[in-house]
Short mmCIF file of all heavy atoms in Angstrom, two decimals:
data_model
loop_
_atom_site.label_atom_id
_atom_site.label_comp_id
_atom_site.label_asym_id
_atom_site.label_seq_id
_atom_site.Cartn_x
_atom_site.Cartn_y
_atom_site.Cartn_z
N THR C 271 0.42 2.26 -0.51
CA THR C 271 1.07 3.58 -0.62
C THR C 271 0.76 4.44 0.55
O THR C 271 1.25 5.56 0.66
CB THR C 271 0.91 4.24 -1.91
OG1 THR C 271 -0.47 4.49 -2.06
CG2 THR C 271 1.39 3.41 -3.11
N ARG C 272 -0.19 4.10 1.36
CA ARG C 272 -0.70 4.95 2.46
C ARG C 272 -0.52 4.16 3.72
O ARG C 272 -0.35 2.96 3.69
CB ARG C 272 -2.13 5.40 2.25
CG ARG C 272 -3.13 4.18 2.23
CD ARG C 272 -4.55 4.67 2.21
NE ARG C 272 -5.46 3.61 2.15
CZ ARG C 272 -5.75 2.81 3.22
NH1 ARG C 272 -5.17 2.90 4.32
NH2 ARG C 272 -6.62 1.83 3.09
N GLU C 294 -8.06 -7.87 -13.37
CA GLU C 294 -7.84 -6.69 -14.18
C GLU C 294 -7.92 -7.02 -15.67
O GLU C 294 -7.41 -7.98 -16.09
CB GLU C 294 -6.58 -6.11 -13.91
CG GLU C 294 -6.46 -4.60 -14.54
CD GLU C 294 -5.31 -3.88 -14.00
OE1 GLU C 294 -4.53 -4.40 -13.16
OE2 GLU C 294 -5.01 -2.74 -14.47
N PRO C 300 -5.82 1.12 -17.26
CA PRO C 300 -5.41 0.47 -16.01
C PRO C 300 -6.02 0.98 -14.73
O PRO C 300 -6.39 2.12 -14.72
CB PRO C 300 -3.85 0.68 -16.00
CG PRO C 300 -3.63 1.79 -16.87
CD PRO C 300 -4.74 1.93 -17.76
N ARG C 301 -6.13 0.22 -13.79
CA ARG C 301 -6.69 0.59 -12.49
C ARG C 301 -5.92 1.65 -11.87
O ARG C 301 -4.76 1.55 -11.86
CB ARG C 301 -6.95 -0.53 -11.58
CG ARG C 301 -7.99 -1.57 -11.98
CD ARG C 301 -8.17 -2.58 -11.06
NE ARG C 301 -9.28 -3.43 -11.50
CZ ARG C 301 -9.42 -4.75 -11.22
NH1 ARG C 301 -8.51 -5.38 -10.50
NH2 ARG C 301 -10.42 -5.48 -11.70
N LYS C 302 -6.59 2.66 -11.33
CA LYS C 302 -5.79 3.76 -10.64
C LYS C 302 -5.63 3.36 -9.17
O LYS C 302 -4.61 3.72 -8.59
CB LYS C 302 -6.61 5.03 -10.74
CG LYS C 302 -5.89 6.26 -10.27
CD LYS C 302 -6.67 7.51 -10.57
CE LYS C 302 -5.89 8.77 -10.14
NZ LYS C 302 -6.61 9.88 -10.48
N TRP C 303 -6.62 2.70 -8.53
CA TRP C 303 -6.49 2.15 -7.21
C TRP C 303 -6.66 0.64 -7.19
O TRP C 303 -7.51 0.12 -8.01
CB TRP C 303 -7.60 2.77 -6.38
CG TRP C 303 -7.40 4.35 -6.18
CD1 TRP C 303 -6.50 5.00 -5.40
CD2 TRP C 303 -8.11 5.33 -6.84
NE1 TRP C 303 -6.67 6.28 -5.54
CE2 TRP C 303 -7.63 6.53 -6.42
CE3 TRP C 303 -9.08 5.27 -7.82
CZ2 TRP C 303 -8.05 7.80 -6.90
CZ3 TRP C 303 -9.56 6.48 -8.31
CH2 TRP C 303 -9.02 7.71 -7.90
N SER C 304 -6.06 0.05 -6.27
CA SER C 304 -6.20 -1.43 -6.10
C SER C 304 -7.51 -1.72 -5.48
O SER C 304 -8.17 -0.94 -4.82
CB SER C 304 -5.10 -1.99 -5.16
OG SER C 304 -5.38 -1.62 -3.81
N LEU C 305 -8.05 -2.85 -5.84
CA LEU C 305 -9.38 -3.35 -5.29
C LEU C 305 -9.37 -3.42 -3.77
O LEU C 305 -10.29 -3.21 -3.13
CB LEU C 305 -9.86 -4.67 -5.92
CG LEU C 305 -10.18 -4.56 -7.45
CD1 LEU C 305 -10.55 -5.95 -7.90
CD2 LEU C 305 -11.28 -3.57 -7.71
N ARG C 306 -8.23 -3.76 -3.22
CA ARG C 306 -8.05 -3.76 -1.79
C ARG C 306 -8.35 -2.39 -1.17
O ARG C 306 -9.05 -2.24 -0.11
CB ARG C 306 -6.73 -4.32 -1.34
CG ARG C 306 -6.58 -4.50 0.18
CD ARG C 306 -5.25 -5.17 0.49
NE ARG C 306 -5.18 -5.47 1.87
CZ ARG C 306 -4.37 -6.23 2.42
NH1 ARG C 306 -3.47 -6.87 1.69
NH2 ARG C 306 -4.29 -6.48 3.69
N GLU C 307 -7.75 -1.37 -1.73
CA GLU C 307 -7.97 -0.04 -1.24
C GLU C 307 -9.44 0.47 -1.40
O GLU C 307 -10.00 1.15 -0.52
CB GLU C 307 -7.04 0.94 -1.95
CG GLU C 307 -5.62 0.87 -1.47
CD GLU C 307 -4.75 1.89 -2.02
OE1 GLU C 307 -4.90 2.99 -1.52
OE2 GLU C 307 -3.93 1.56 -2.92
N ILE C 308 -10.01 0.05 -2.48
CA ILE C 308 -11.47 0.41 -2.78
C ILE C 308 -12.38 -0.30 -1.74
O ILE C 308 -13.19 0.31 -1.08
CB ILE C 308 -11.88 0.02 -4.15
CG1 ILE C 308 -11.19 0.89 -5.17
CG2 ILE C 308 -13.37 0.12 -4.33
CD1 ILE C 308 -11.34 0.47 -6.56
N LEU C 309 -12.03 -1.60 -1.39
CA LEU C 309 -12.90 -2.35 -0.46
C LEU C 309 -12.57 -1.70 0.93
O LEU C 309 -13.50 -1.58 1.80
CB LEU C 309 -12.51 -3.81 -0.45
CG LEU C 309 -13.09 -4.62 -1.58
CD1 LEU C 309 -12.61 -6.01 -1.64
CD2 LEU C 309 -14.70 -4.51 -1.55
#
Side-chain angles (χ1 to χ4, degrees):
T271 58
R272 62 172 178 78
E294 189 167 359
R301 290 182 176 152
K302 191 171 182 179
W303 294 282
S304 72
L305 290 178
R306 185 173 184 166
E307 288 188 69
I308 292 170
L309 285 176

